Amino acid sequence: NPIELLNQKLVLFRSNSSASAANDNDDEDDKNCNELWTCLDDRCSHRFAPLSEGRVVPKVPLPTSNGTTASCGSSSCGFAIQCAYHGWEFDGNGQCTKIPQAPNHKPQRQHVQSYPTQVRGGMVFVWSDPDSYEDLGKYIDIPIDPVVEAACQLKGVEVACFMRDLPYGYELLGENLLDLSHLPFSHHSVGYLSRDLGGPLPFQMLKDSQKSQDGPLYEVEMEHAERYDP
């Protein structure tokens, strides 16, 4: 499936090359393998078919100037994304590495725009302006909660981190944030939450005169929080 950034459809996949060179990965799971997160425009340069409907395949090294195939090395092998329409393949830098209909042709201008990525706390961040990445993007510190990074290092990215987009308004969000009793069950294994902590949660809704100085829309006070707060 495609992802969307600033109303632009993109595709993410793992390769051994990317627009951000070392990929700036801080996650141990990514450092221990040669694969890097790659982000490309979700549009094949041939007939503009969405690359997200294709598949990831072993990368075929480009032919050299004398017509031979390059040996497998850190920059020549890995994975590419194959377009589902005509089978054209693109590596992590967006370079076309294979045209099945012209096997002896060395692609030069049939590239796809690639975007620099960074991985922090088990999440992939995409820099949407490739031209400014070297001078600006790579120096910007991504504000990740240390708790998230610690959880990823402790439990692994696949266990500690996930994300879902839920279509609801702020009214339901406010109600959800007040409903502390769902935490041990809906968020089991997130941080120190566990289903075993499920139980009664005695609290009272605060009046406007009792709320904090910043005046939140909703605020409650847990009774005997040291005993009941999960």
Side-chain angles (χ1 to χ4, degrees), residues 15-29:
S15 181
N16 73 329
S17 58
S18 75
S20 49
N23 208 218
D24 298 318
N25 285 347
D26 285 337
D27 289 329
E28 292 298 325
D29 286 354

Side-chain angles (χ1 to χ4, degrees), residues 170-171 173-175 177-178 205-206 211 215-220:
Y170 77 92
E171 304 95 336
L173 174 61
E175 179 183 340
L177 294 176
L178 287 175
M205 182 77 71
L206 297 183
K211 293 180 181 178
L217 187 60
Y218 305 101
E219 188 171 358
V220 299

Side-chain angles (χ1 to χ4, degrees), residues 68-80:
T68 62
T69 300
S71 60
C72 185
S74 60
S75 63
S76 60
C77 294
F79 296 95

Side-chain angles (χ1 to χ4, degrees), residues 64 111 137 177 204 224:
T64 61
H111 68 278
L177 294 176
Q204 62 174 342
H224 307 292

